[in-house]
Amino acid sequence: MNVTAAHARAVPAGRIAYVNGRYMPHADAVVHVEDRGLQFADSIYEVCAVLDGRLMDEEGHLDRLERSLAALSIAMPMGRAALRFVMRETIRKNRLKDAMLYLQVTRGAHKRDHPMPALHKSTLIMTVRHVNVGAVEKRRAQGIAIVTSPDMRWGRCDIKTTGLLANVLAKTEARKAGAFEAWLIDRDGFVTEGASTNAWIVTGEGVLVTRNLSQNILAGVTRLGVLQALAGEGFNAVEERAFTVAEAKAAREAFVTSASGGVLPVVSIDGRPIADGTPGATTRRIHALYAEFARAAAQSA
Ligand code: PLP
């Protein structure tokens, strides 16, 4: 069922989904039982923040979507301009000013068989969920706790697939331990990234360190925005390299970045406070610079 204007008003804000060309209430939104996204996680996703009715880092998310799809030879479901239009329509129909837009592209429905089909028609899904900005700001003011967890993911973490079980397990263990995020640790004792964030530290010498891009981490769009915002300010005490858990625990400050939280200070790792256990001044400054940079580039939704 496609949503008419009158019908859309009867559906609560944030409960309209887009599925393959149609907008409908969540309760009616379905994909085929043999969709390869469902059966094999043969599927890519993106999450974009909408703040005060403006889409943040839109081009970065679309660039990464195209890169991820190309890496798996999944066809873009439509051209980029059309996709931008559907994103805005989905946001508008959901009547939300502060939200997260979720977008997923799968290889579509096929008879279940592991090899990729020779031809396919991608499935495109979008949903929009309200974000409580006050709760995010409270988290930013208080800082978050981290626990560390072995990185059990596959070898192509640079592709943003919906195959997220290892991330889900790590995040669940973190929440059970009273922490907000898990930092994933590789076999050599280095932090790769968070379960759904990129990881950063500020060393005792004031150098900002975050893991270099490779197939072992996701190239965060917020990570890139922070690096660009800092470069614009002439801040060049930045090292893109691996750091150990021990180095992180001894750091002056630590923080995570993601589209959903922006820059969030880390105040403890595995129950041990970072410095005095409160959000650091450098982290607060980086948040302010990034927020200003991203708002200036943001486009109306
Ligand atoms: N790393 C992982 C594994 C993620 O899932 C995410 C976001 O979902 C990030 C990093 C942060 O990426 P972005 O800043 O693009 O949200």
mmCIF file of all heavy atoms in Angstrom, residues 211-228:
data_model
loop_
_atom_site.group_PDB
_atom_site.id
_atom_site.type_symbol
_atom_site.label_atom_id
_atom_site.label_comp_id
_atom_site.label_asym_id
_atom_site.label_seq_id
_atom_site.Cartn_x
_atom_site.Cartn_y
_atom_site.Cartn_z
ATOM 1 N N ARG A 211 43.398 5.084 14.104
ATOM 2 C CA ARG A 211 43.949 4.022 13.253
ATOM 3 C C ARG A 211 43.907 4.419 11.771
ATOM 4 O O ARG A 211 42.943 5.012 11.307
ATOM 5 C CB ARG A 211 43.157 2.728 13.472
ATOM 6 C CG ARG A 211 43.718 1.557 12.698
ATOM 7 C CD ARG A 211 43.872 0.347 13.533
ATOM 8 N NE ARG A 211 44.415 -0.752 12.764
ATOM 9 C CZ ARG A 211 44.800 -1.892 13.293
ATOM 10 N NH1 ARG A 211 44.696 -2.101 14.594
ATOM 11 N NH2 ARG A 211 45.295 -2.849 12.544
ATOM 12 N N ASN A 212 44.979 4.064 11.068
ATOM 13 C CA ASN A 212 45.047 4.329 9.625
ATOM 14 C C ASN A 212 44.006 3.492 8.881
ATOM 15 O O ASN A 212 43.650 2.405 9.316
ATOM 16 C CB ASN A 212 46.453 3.985 9.107
ATOM 17 C CG ASN A 212 46.872 2.588 9.525
ATOM 18 O OD1 ASN A 212 46.991 2.322 10.728
ATOM 19 N ND2 ASN A 212 47.066 1.697 8.572
ATOM 20 N N LEU A 213 43.547 4.024 7.747
ATOM 21 C CA LEU A 213 42.556 3.297 6.950
ATOM 22 C C LEU A 213 43.181 2.057 6.327
ATOM 23 O O LEU A 213 44.328 2.088 5.877
ATOM 24 C CB LEU A 213 41.997 4.199 5.846
ATOM 25 C CG LEU A 213 41.223 5.430 6.307
ATOM 26 C CD1 LEU A 213 40.651 6.176 5.097
ATOM 27 C CD2 LEU A 213 40.107 5.070 7.271
ATOM 28 N N SER A 214 42.431 0.981 6.320
ATOM 29 C CA SER A 214 42.855 -0.280 5.704
ATOM 30 C C SER A 214 41.597 -1.137 5.605
ATOM 31 O O SER A 214 40.497 -0.658 5.925
ATOM 32 C CB SER A 214 43.886 -0.999 6.594
ATOM 33 O OG SER A 214 43.233 -1.499 7.760
ATOM 34 N N GLN A 215 41.775 -2.404 5.254
ATOM 35 C CA GLN A 215 40.603 -3.291 5.201
ATOM 36 C C GLN A 215 40.148 -3.695 6.602
ATOM 37 O O GLN A 215 39.140 -4.381 6.759
ATOM 38 C CB GLN A 215 40.932 -4.526 4.359
ATOM 39 C CG GLN A 215 41.212 -4.136 2.901
ATOM 40 C CD GLN A 215 41.349 -5.304 1.958
ATOM 41 O OE1 GLN A 215 41.512 -6.448 2.379
ATOM 42 N NE2 GLN A 215 41.289 -5.037 0.671
ATOM 43 N N ASN A 216 40.892 -3.259 7.637
ATOM 44 C CA ASN A 216 40.562 -3.659 9.013
ATOM 45 C C ASN A 216 39.589 -2.735 9.719
ATOM 46 O O ASN A 216 39.132 -3.055 10.823
ATOM 47 C CB ASN A 216 41.838 -3.745 9.859
ATOM 48 C CG ASN A 216 42.776 -4.797 9.331
ATOM 49 O OD1 ASN A 216 42.313 -5.809 8.808
ATOM 50 N ND2 ASN A 216 44.070 -4.567 9.441
ATOM 51 N N ILE A 217 39.333 -1.554 9.144
ATOM 52 C CA ILE A 217 38.376 -0.647 9.794
ATOM 53 C C ILE A 217 37.454 -0.016 8.745
ATOM 54 O O ILE A 217 37.768 0.009 7.551
ATOM 55 C CB ILE A 217 39.049 0.489 10.615
ATOM 56 C CG1 ILE A 217 39.742 1.523 9.711
ATOM 57 C CG2 ILE A 217 39.995 -0.071 11.663
ATOM 58 C CD1 ILE A 217 40.102 2.815 10.440
ATOM 59 N N LEU A 218 36.344 0.525 9.251
ATOM 60 C CA LEU A 218 35.455 1.288 8.383
ATOM 61 C C LEU A 218 35.982 2.719 8.294
ATOM 62 O O LEU A 218 36.345 3.311 9.319
ATOM 63 C CB LEU A 218 34.040 1.301 8.979
ATOM 64 C CG LEU A 218 33.010 1.974 8.083
ATOM 65 C CD1 LEU A 218 32.679 1.074 6.890
ATOM 66 C CD2 LEU A 218 31.746 2.299 8.852
ATOM 67 N N ALA A 219 36.001 3.243 7.077
ATOM 68 C CA ALA A 219 36.417 4.639 6.892
ATOM 69 C C ALA A 219 35.248 5.523 7.331
ATOM 70 O O ALA A 219 34.351 5.815 6.538
ATOM 71 C CB ALA A 219 36.768 4.889 5.434
ATOM 72 N N GLY A 220 35.231 5.894 8.600
ATOM 73 C CA GLY A 220 34.113 6.672 9.138
ATOM 74 C C GLY A 220 33.986 8.012 8.427
ATOM 75 O O GLY A 220 34.987 8.690 8.184
ATOM 76 N N VAL A 221 32.761 8.383 8.119
ATOM 77 C CA VAL A 221 32.528 9.679 7.486
ATOM 78 C C VAL A 221 32.791 10.787 8.519
ATOM 79 O O VAL A 221 33.336 11.843 8.188
ATOM 80 C CB VAL A 221 31.086 9.743 6.924
ATOM 81 C CG1 VAL A 221 30.765 11.130 6.414
ATOM 82 C CG2 VAL A 221 30.921 8.709 5.811
ATOM 83 N N THR A 222 32.455 10.531 9.772
ATOM 84 C CA THR A 222 32.715 11.508 10.833
ATOM 85 C C THR A 222 34.217 11.619 11.087
ATOM 86 O O THR A 222 34.734 12.716 11.325
ATOM 87 C CB THR A 222 31.975 11.097 12.124
ATOM 88 O OG1 THR A 222 30.680 10.617 11.764
ATOM 89 C CG2 THR A 222 31.857 12.252 13.093
ATOM 90 N N ARG A 223 34.915 10.482 11.027
ATOM 91 C CA ARG A 223 36.376 10.465 11.160
ATOM 92 C C ARG A 223 36.985 11.411 10.129
ATOM 93 O O ARG A 223 37.829 12.251 10.452
ATOM 94 C CB ARG A 223 36.874 9.028 10.953
ATOM 95 C CG ARG A 223 38.387 8.835 10.948
ATOM 96 C CD ARG A 223 38.710 7.393 10.514
ATOM 97 N NE ARG A 223 40.152 7.154 10.485
ATOM 98 C CZ ARG A 223 40.955 7.541 9.499
ATOM 99 N NH1 ARG A 223 40.466 8.202 8.458
ATOM 100 N NH2 ARG A 223 42.250 7.278 9.560
ATOM 101 N N LEU A 224 36.521 11.279 8.870
ATOM 102 C CA LEU A 224 37.041 12.131 7.799
ATOM 103 C C LEU A 224 36.697 13.597 8.072
ATOM 104 O O LEU A 224 37.545 14.487 7.905
ATOM 105 C CB LEU A 224 36.458 11.684 6.450
ATOM 106 C CG LEU A 224 36.832 12.522 5.235
ATOM 107 C CD1 LEU A 224 38.346 12.456 4.986
ATOM 108 C CD2 LEU A 224 36.075 12.051 3.984
ATOM 109 N N GLY A 225 35.463 13.847 8.524
ATOM 110 C CA GLY A 225 35.044 15.223 8.816
ATOM 111 C C GLY A 225 35.908 15.847 9.899
ATOM 112 O O GLY A 225 36.306 17.020 9.795
ATOM 113 N N VAL A 226 36.230 15.065 10.927
ATOM 114 C CA VAL A 226 37.085 15.571 12.018
ATOM 115 C C VAL A 226 38.475 15.902 11.464
ATOM 116 O O VAL A 226 39.020 16.979 11.742
ATOM 117 C CB VAL A 226 37.176 14.535 13.167
ATOM 118 C CG1 VAL A 226 38.323 14.861 14.118
ATOM 119 C CG2 VAL A 226 35.855 14.477 13.924
ATOM 120 N N LEU A 227 39.028 15.016 10.653
ATOM 121 C CA LEU A 227 40.368 15.262 10.086
ATOM 122 C C LEU A 227 40.355 16.519 9.212
ATOM 123 O O LEU A 227 41.278 17.339 9.273
ATOM 124 C CB LEU A 227 40.844 14.050 9.278
ATOM 125 C CG LEU A 227 41.173 12.795 10.103
ATOM 126 C CD1 LEU A 227 41.474 11.605 9.191
ATOM 127 C CD2 LEU A 227 42.367 13.042 11.049
ATOM 128 N N GLN A 228 39.287 16.687 8.431
ATOM 129 C CA GLN A 228 39.205 17.867 7.554
ATOM 130 C C GLN A 228 39.017 19.139 8.379
ATOM 131 O O GLN A 228 39.632 20.172 8.085
ATOM 132 C CB GLN A 228 38.045 17.710 6.564
ATOM 133 C CG GLN A 228 38.339 16.659 5.500
ATOM 134 C CD GLN A 228 37.152 16.393 4.581
ATOM 135 O OE1 GLN A 228 36.003 16.632 4.966
ATOM 136 N NE2 GLN A 228 37.417 15.886 3.401
#
